[in-house]
Amino acid sequence: MSDRIQSAGASHAEFMRAANDELAKFERHEREFRKKDRDERAKRLQLPVEKYDAEDWRVRKLSISSPLHRT
C-alpha cells in the first residue's frame, strides 16, 4: 500500500509541476500581450508610454507637486 501512496504523491507532484509551468507560460504571454496592447493604444492616442522597472511595475510613484500628495 505504501507503493501506491508514494506513486500517487509522485504523480501529484508531476501534475503540480506541469500546472505551474503552464501557468508561468500563460502569465508571460499575458504580460507580453498587455504590453503590446498598451503600447499600441498609446501610439494610436499619441500618448507617452510609461516605463516601469521590473521590480517596480505595480507601484506608481507620485511627485511632491501632485494634487494627490498629502503630508
Side-chain angles (χ1 to χ4, degrees):
M1 181 133 139
S2 66
D3 291 339
R4 185 176 180 189
I5 293 171
Q6 188 176 15
S7 175
S11 62
H12 177 72
E14 290 175 23
F15 171 77
M16 291 304 294
R17 188 173 19 262
N20 283 332
D21 291 347
E22 288 295 318
L23 181 60
K25 188 168 69 169
F26 172 78
E27 288 174 340
R28 186 175 58 251
H29 286 288
E30 183 68 16
R31 279 192 304 272
E32 291 170 1
F33 172 78
R34 287 183 183 202
K35 182 183 182 306
K36 183 179 175 185
D37 184 53
R38 183 183 65 231
D39 293 346
E40 287 174 358
R41 282 185 285 127
K43 185 177 180 181
R44 192 170 51 240
L45 297 171
Q46 299 178 350
L47 298 173
V49 177
E50 293 184 38
K51 302 290 182 192
Y52 293 102
D53 293 333
E55 303 121 17
D56 225 9
W57 68 273
R58 286 176 258 171
V59 179
R60 176 174 286 200
K61 295 178 180 157
L62 298 173
S63 65
I64 295 174
S65 63
S66 171
L68 299 176
H69 180 75
R70 293 183 182 156
T71 55

